[in-house]
Amino acid sequence: MNGDWLLRGRDGRLSVYLPSGDAVLCRAELGPGGPWEASARKVGGDQKLRPGPAVGQGPDGYAHLVSWRPTKPGEAGLVHSTHFRPRLAALDWVPIGHPDKTGDRTGAPAVAVDGEGRAHVFVRNKGGGVSMVAQKEKGGWDPWRDLKGSDVQEDLAAVTGESGRVELYAAVPGGLLYWRQGEPGTPPVLEEAVETPVRPGTLRALATSAGRTTLFYTDDSGELCAWRPGGKPVALLASAGPGPVSAVRCELDGHDCTLLAQRSSSGRVAFAAYPTEQEAAGAWWTESGPQLPSDARVSLATDENDRVVAATLSPSTGRLLLTRRKDEPGLALEAWREA
């Protein structure tokens, strides 16, 4: 999944989203704090999907999912589904078109939801730039828009700031691009580019203060870096493993902190925390839990009591493991348990 696949719904229940073959599956807590549903449910009906779906969540707690689906030989189109509550069935997949009107899959989509609950879907187009389609305020979808850019790599990182405005990051050869909405309901504008080596498939964005978001990525040397537009990228610490990090803001011992998690090269989950937007304070990895399959990914969220929850999920096994922060100082975690 492109995006955080462990989400807290508006009823306090946690849910996870898992790509599985030609479908997206969902499992949810039966009540806040568990236990979990015994088996996963298919999202959006029986339509067959292509690999690489995306998920995003708005301030209303609704999950928005986007995926490619085959339409005819050699062609595909994007579809969207909304999941209002973890225990309810998600809406059926609805076609939202193609950035180039017709053609095959052009890249992995990304989705962010603005302060009014409108989904914004981004995807690379056949020209190598970025296109976007957004929900209208009163239902339906606006026309596709070309947001420009060139040589954009497949993975995109969409995020909603504390202001409710949508932002987008993309990697290009030797650098990063950044788009931002000037006003709610307007298309994001390409505002900034920075030269930096970026390892493909490692972008993850997080709202870190009023008016600012932070992009985390791994550079060519294996350093995990943080970049906020208007400044220069900062090397934070050596990446624990090859994939993207998951990130969440949380309170640790009375301080606003950013917590990062990543499957390490050893196969375990590595955690690192530091005061939000204070990369100079330093951070270091601490590993936790059992060894995981090479395809396992990590996601972070906070539960109904604002306690940090970490989940790992392996597409090859479907095994879901979770842990929560203990009610004690520091980042002490409960034993990992299978849901």
Side-chain angles (χ1 to χ4, degrees):
M1 298 293 291
N2 185 3
D4 292 318
W5 47 263
L6 172 67
L7 301 178
R8 182 181 71 189
R10 62 184 301 161
D11 57 3
R13 294 182 175 95
L14 296 172
S15 58
V16 297
Y17 296 92
L18 167 68
S20 178
D22 57 7
V24 175
L25 305 180
C26 175
R27 284 185 68 193
E29 290 181 314
L30 296 176
W36 286 69
E37 293 175 311
S39 59
R41 293 168 288 119
K42 190 177 289 188
V43 173
D46 293 326
Q47 294 186 43
K48 292 184 177 181
L49 307 176
R50 298 279 291 275
V55 62
Q57 188 177 37
D60 52 15
Y62 299 161
H64 292 257
L65 298 102
V66 176
S67 182
W68 288 99
R69 68 161 183 176
T71 53
K72 58 184 180 180
E75 295 196 8
L78 286 161
V79 289
H80 168 270
S81 173
T82 306
H83 201 178
F84 295 109
R85 294 178 187 268
R87 295 291 317 284
L88 297 178
L91 297 182
D92 288 345
W93 294 108
V94 174
I96 57 175
H98 190 288
D100 305 303
K101 296 186 178 179
T102 61
D104 206 348
R105 177 187 184 277
T106 56
V111 58
V113 185
D114 69 13
E116 286 73 43
R118 296 172 295 201
H120 292 61
V121 179
F122 303 91
V123 69
R124 185 181 63 184
N125 55 46
K126 68 179 181 181
V130 174
S131 292
M132 182 203 79
V133 65
Q135 285 181 312
K136 296 179 180 179
E137 185 174 358
K138 296 183 179 180
W141 293 80
D142 288 324
W144 279 90
R145 299 176 184 270
D146 185 354
L147 301 185
K148 309 303 180 183
S150 61
D151 295 325
V152 170
Q153 296 176 357
E154 177 158 335
D155 58 315
L156 305 173
V159 62
T160 303
E162 291 185 4
S163 64
R165 298 177 190 178
V166 170
E167 304 178 23
L168 179 74
Y169 294 89
V172 296
L176 293 164
L177 302 179
Y178 168 71
W179 289 258
R180 182 178 183 271
Q181 282 183 316
E183 297 292 337
T186 62
V189 175
L190 181 58
E191 288 194 350
E192 195 166 343
V194 64
E195 291 186 6
T196 180
V198 181
R199 184 177 293 174
T202 62
L203 306 189
R204 183 55 53 92
L206 180 71
T208 49
S209 64
R212 295 204 294 188
T213 61
T214 300
L215 178 74
F216 298 97
Y217 67 95
T218 303
D219 68 13
D220 286 347
S221 69
E223 289 291 308
L224 179 63
C225 302
W227 178 51
R228 280 181 293 282
K232 296 181 178 180
V234 175
L236 182 59
L237 76 171
S239 176
V245 297
S246 182
V248 69
R249 283 177 67 188
C250 58
E251 184 178 296
L252 296 177
D253 301 335
H255 300 283
D256 177 5
C257 292
T258 295
L259 177 65
L260 307 173
Q262 187 176 36
R263 182 191 178 275
S264 71
S265 297
S266 73
R268 305 176 72 201
V269 178
F271 293 94
Y274 69 97
T276 297
E277 295 194 348
Q278 297 181 40
E279 287 80 14
W284 56 92
W285 296 112
T286 300
E287 294 193 358
S288 174
Q291 286 195 329
L292 303 167
S294 60
D295 65 346
R297 290 293 180 261
V298 186
S299 194
L300 298 171
T302 56
D303 66 12
E304 74 283 1
N305 297 315
D306 289 325
R307 287 195 302 167
V308 169
V309 182
T312 71
L313 194 56
S314 166
S316 61
T317 66
R319 190 183 184 204
L320 173 64
L321 299 175
L322 296 110
T323 184
R324 276 180 167 83
R325 184 189 174 207
K326 294 180 180 178
D327 189 16
E328 58 184 63
L331 189 60
L333 298 173
E334 297 174 351
W336 288 83
R337 291 177 290 182
E338 186 166 1

